[in-house]
Amino acid sequence: MIWIMAVMPVVLLVLGFPIFLILLATSAILVLFVMGVPATQLHITMFGSVDKFALIAVPFFLFAGELMGRGGMSKRIVECVLAAAGRIRGSLGITTVGACTIFGALSGSGPATVAALGRLLYVPLRKAGYGERFSNGLLTSSGGIAVIIPPSIAMILYGAAAEQSVALLFVAGIIPGLLIAAMLGGYVYVYAARRGIREGQAFNAATFFRAIRDGIWALGMPVIVLGGIYAGIVSPTEAAGIACVYAIIVTRYVYRDIDWRGIWNVAVDSMYLTAQVLIIVAAAGVFSWLLTVSGLPQGLVAWIGGLQLAPWMVLLAVNLLLLLVGCFLDPNSAILVLTPLLLPVMLAIGVDPIHFGIIMTVNLAIGMFTPPFGLNIFVAQAMFKTPIKEIYVGLLPFIALNLVALMLVTYLPGLSLWLTRYAG
C-alpha cells in the first residue's frame, strides 16, 4: 500500500497529470483494490475535506484580490510607495518590493502580484538602469512575499489541514514577511549603489500627501481586514467577506476603474480559481485520510526517533524536502498533501504547529520562483518575453537571500511566535 502511495503519484506527475487527478486516482485504486473499502468512502471523505468553515475565506479573498488587481488599486499603491521613497538609492527597486508586500496583503497570490505589478514596474525598472536579469529576478521573487504576508491562502489551507487557528497563522506571518521584504530592499540598495543608479525625484511633502490621498482607499484594505481580525472583531472568514464588499465599493464607486460587467468577469474568474483550489482540497483530503489509515506518519515519527537526530537536523531535512517539493508543486497542493505527513514529525521534536506552518509557507513561497516549475517564473516569462534562462540566472541572488531568511525563520522561532503572544 505504501509503495503505491509513494510511486504512483510520482509516475503520474512525470506524465503530466494534474495534481488533483493524481491524488484522486491513487486514492481510488487503494480504496477499491487494496483496502477493500466501499467506494462511498471516497465521496464521504472528499465532502468532509471541504466542509470546513475556514475554507469559506478562500473564494472571498481570491475575489477581493483579483478585483483590486484589475480595479486600479495596484497603480495607486505603487504611487504611494514611490512618493515615500524619494531619491534614495534604489528607490524604484525598493518601491517594487514595498508595493509587492502591500499588494500581497490584498491578493494573497504570488502570480497575481507578479502580473499586477509587473505591468506597472518592469519597463520603468529597465529605463532606470536596472539590468534585465535583475528586473526579472526582483519582480518574480518579490511576488513570493504574497504567499507569506497575511492574509495568505496558503495559511488558510494549512490551518484547515492542521486544525490550527488561521488568525494566529496570519499574525505569525507578519515578521517573516517583513524580514524578507527588508532583506530584498537592502540588496536593491546595494545593487543600485554599485551601479550608480539614483532614479526618482526628491521627496516632496505635497506629492507624498497627494499620493496618500489618492491611494488611501487602497491602503485601507489591509488595515480594515487585518485590523478587524487582530482586534478580535471578526474572524478571518468574516473579514474575507468584508474585503469583497469593500473592494466592490472602492473599485466601482470611488476609483471608477471598473464597471459592473468587469466585476462580473472578475467573479467568474474567481469562481474558476476557487474550483481549482477546492478540488485539490477534496482530493488531498482523501489522500491524507489514507496516509493516516496506513500508519505512515506514525511510522515516520518512530523511524526518525530511532535515528536519534538532533531537532535542528530534522528541521534541516524537512526544509530540504519542502524546497524540493516546492520546485514542482504549487504551495496549496504541497501544503494539503504534506501537512498530515510532516506535522506529527514536527510535534514529536517539539516544534510549535504555528511555527511549522510559517516554515512550510516560507519554503513553498520560495518554490514559487525556484526553477524549473515555479509559477511566478512562468507568469514573468509570459509578460516580459524574457528567455527563461535569463530569468533563472537573475533569480539566483534572490533565491540565496530567501534561503538565508528561511534559516532565520526556522531556527529563531521567536520571529514567528513573538507577536502571537499578544494575539490571544
Side-chain angles (χ1 to χ4, degrees):
M1 176 176 174
I2 293 177
W3 281 108
I4 295 176
M5 297 179 74
V7 175
M8 186 173 175
V10 175
V11 173
L12 294 177
L13 183 64
V14 171
L15 292 175
F17 283 79
I19 186 66
F20 82 91
L21 195 56
I22 292 172
L23 298 175
L24 201 54
T26 304
S27 302
I29 289 175
L30 289 169
V31 167
L32 297 176
F33 300 109
V34 178
M35 299 178 64
V37 176
T40 53
Q41 184 63 45
L42 287 171
H43 310 140
I44 293 171
T45 308
M46 288 180 68
F47 281 103
S49 300
V50 296
D51 186 20
K52 296 179 180 178
F53 182 71
L55 293 178
I56 300 175
V58 172
F60 287 156
F61 277 129
L62 286 174
F63 174 72
E66 285 285 308
L67 191 56
M68 292 190 140
R70 301 187 199 181
M73 289 192 169
S74 55
K75 177 182 178 182
R76 289 169 174 85
I77 289 171
V78 169
E79 291 172 349
C80 287
V81 180
L82 190 59
R87 283 185 59 83
I88 63 173
R89 288 284 187 185
S91 60
L92 188 58
I94 293 172
T95 295
T96 300
V97 176
C100 285
T101 303
I102 296 173
F103 190 80
L106 303 178
S107 70
S109 168
T113 301
V114 175
L117 298 181
R119 295 186 183 96
L120 297 173
L121 292 167
Y122 180 69
V123 173
L125 282 169
R126 295 300 315 281
K127 289 182 178 178
Y130 295 91
E132 180 183 55
R133 291 177 176 177
F134 184 90
S135 301
N136 277 280
L138 178 62
L139 280 163
T140 307
S141 61
S142 296
I145 299 174
V147 181
I148 306 166
I149 208 78
S152 163
I153 302 299
M155 289 182 188
I156 294 172
L157 296 178
Y158 174 83
E163 298 182 351
Q164 298 296 315
S165 167
V166 174
L168 284 181
L169 287 165
F170 283 178
V171 174
I174 294 175
I175 293 180
L178 294 179
L179 171 67
I180 293 174
M183 292 178 67
L184 294 180
Y187 177 64
V188 170
Y189 181 88
V190 172
Y191 177 91
R194 287 181 174 178
R195 293 179 65 105
I197 298 173
R198 185 181 288 277
E199 72 281 22
Q201 300 177 350
F203 178 83
N204 181 280
T207 301
F208 173 72
F209 286 113
R210 189 183 310 114
I212 292 294
R213 183 194 63 198
D214 293 340
I216 192 68
W217 291 98
L219 298 174
M221 167 69 99
V223 174
I224 291 173
V225 172
L226 300 179
I229 294 172
Y230 301 151
I233 300 172
V234 294
S235 69
T237 302
E238 293 165 340
I242 293 172
C244 291
V245 176
Y246 183 88
I248 291 173
I249 293 173
V250 171
T251 55
R252 178 65 183 89
Y253 294 108
V254 178
Y255 293 146
R256 299 180 181 179
D257 289 329
I258 195 168
D259 57 16
W260 284 112
R261 180 178 293 276
I263 292 174
W264 171 257
N265 291 334
V266 171
V268 171
D269 291 343
S270 300
M271 177 189 68
Y272 285 120
L273 288 172
T274 301
Q276 292 171 13
V277 172
L278 293 186
I279 195 171
I280 295 173
V281 172
V286 181
F287 195 78
S288 300
W289 172 74
L290 289 172
L291 281 175
T292 304
V293 171
S294 70
L296 184 58
Q298 297 85 344
L300 184 61
V301 170
W303 178 70
I304 292 177
L307 295 177
Q308 297 182 339
L309 297 175
W312 72 267
M313 296 178 68
V314 177
L315 281 168
L316 181 60
V318 169
N319 275 328
L320 292 174
L321 172 64
L322 290 171
L323 287 170
L324 179 63
V325 170
C327 294
F328 298 94
L329 293 182
D330 67 278
N332 298 339
S333 302
I335 284 172
L336 293 167
V337 173
L338 294 178
T339 296
L341 182 64
L342 296 178
L343 185 58
V345 176
M346 294 294 99
L347 295 176
I349 63 172
V351 176
D352 186 281
I354 297 294
H355 180 212
F356 179 59
I358 303 304
I359 292 174
M360 178 174 270
T361 303
V362 173
N363 268 289
L364 298 173
I366 295 173
M368 295 287 287
F369 53 87
T370 300
F373 299 124
L375 294 179
N376 289 6
I377 296 174
F378 296 124
V379 173
Q381 199 278 330
M383 290 185 58
F384 310 142
K385 309 303 180 185
T386 305
I388 199 75
K389 180 182 177 181
E390 295 297 307
I391 297 179
Y392 285 171
V393 174
L395 280 168
L396 292 178
F398 296 99
I399 293 173
L401 283 171
N402 276 268
L403 290 177
V404 172
L406 172 63
M407 292 299 101
L408 293 174
V409 170
T410 299
Y411 295 112
L412 298 175
L415 291 175
S416 302
L417 301 178
W418 180 62
L419 287 179
T420 63
R421 301 171 188 171
Y422 307 98

